Amino acid sequence: MNWTDERVELLRKLWSEGLSASQIAAQLGGVSRNAVIGKVHRLKLSGRGRTTAAPARQKKAASSGATATKSTVRAASTHRHVTASIGATALQVQFDAEPVARQYLRPVENVVVPISRRLQLVELTERTCKWPNGDPLTEEFHFCGNDAGESGPYCSYHSRVAFQPASERRRPR
DNA sequence: CCCTGATTCGC
DNA sequence: GCGAATCAGG
């Protein structure tokens, strides 16, 4: 892959939008994050507000079933578009509009999908949750992307949804 | 360990 | 100019 004007332009755009080098590399395709960083420097584009950083970590996969409660309860509040940026990683984290909307229709336990990192297919790694959200034919489509550990393809939440034992299955009715 | 950007240096 | 290897840090 060579740096065509278009690719450089896209690089400039994404970099200015605050995406990390690895994410930009993923979207450009054919280049490593190092390649992106190197190019950024050569273009003298470094430093965009927040310098050095790596606070994009959604820790705690929970070791016992107790932890799961937290996220479920929290999201139940309101559907404010909490545009939380995780440090330098300007991932636009928001609550899924659809799932939250159903909340008032059925105030049952575990109905809300936890925060999604809204990753594109190319951004998935071996450790990101591959639970798909939305219609694959629309722009809205994305993957959960939260930490999936190494025990499976999904995060703790989606693992429970996907591999729900028949005994625990509550008939949605 | 995961990830982040920064620098170096052989190609 | 390019980018893998390496460094420094959260």
Side-chain angles (χ1 to χ4, degrees), chain A residues 93-114:
Chain A
V93 181
Q94 306 179 307
F95 288 113
D96 284 278
E98 221 177 294
V100 174
R102 291 172 186 157
Q103 191 69 173
Y104 69 85
L105 291 176
R106 183 163 294 295
V108 195
E109 8 81 69
N110 65 48
V111 179
V112 180
V113 175

Side-chain angles (χ1 to χ4, degrees), chain A residues 47-120:
Chain A
R48 62 193 148 173
R50 299 295 89 183
T51 23
T52 320
R57 194 86 298 111
Q58 51 286 311
K59 286 187 174 294
K60 295 313 173 193
S63 53
S64 59
T67 313
T69 310
K70 275 206 297 291
S71 60
T72 303
V73 176
R74 256 285 134 272
S77 59
T78 310
H79 59 318
R80 283 190 301 275
H81 61 305
V82 184
T83 308
S85 64
I86 308 175
T89 300
L91 287 173
Q92 301 307 304
V93 181
Q94 306 179 307
F95 288 113
D96 284 278
E98 221 177 294
V100 174
R102 291 172 186 157
Q103 191 69 173
Y104 69 85
L105 291 176
R106 183 163 294 295
V108 195
E109 8 81 69
N110 65 48
V111 179
V112 180
V113 175
I115 303 173
S116 169
R117 290 180 64 200
R118 291 177 158 280
L119 300 187
Q120 302 302 302

Side-chain angles (χ1 to χ4, degrees), chain A residues 4-73:
Chain A
T4 62
D5 289 0
E6 290 184 3
R7 288 166 67 76
V8 172
E9 191 180 340
L10 180 56
L11 167 60
R12 278 208 165 89
K13 179 193 173 195
L14 297 177
W15 182 259
S16 65
E17 289 179 357
L19 293 186
S20 70
S22 64
Q23 290 182 305
I24 295 174
Q27 298 210 8
L28 285 173
V31 290
S32 66
R33 80 181 188 89
N34 273 325
V36 171
I37 292 174
K39 187 60 180 176
V40 164
H41 278 225
R42 267 170 257 122
L43 291 173
K44 294 181 170 62
L45 296 178
S46 60
R48 62 193 148 173
R50 299 295 89 183
T51 23
T52 320
R57 194 86 298 111
Q58 51 286 311
K59 286 187 174 294
K60 295 313 173 193
S63 53
S64 59
T67 313
T69 310
K70 275 206 297 291
S71 60
T72 303
V73 176

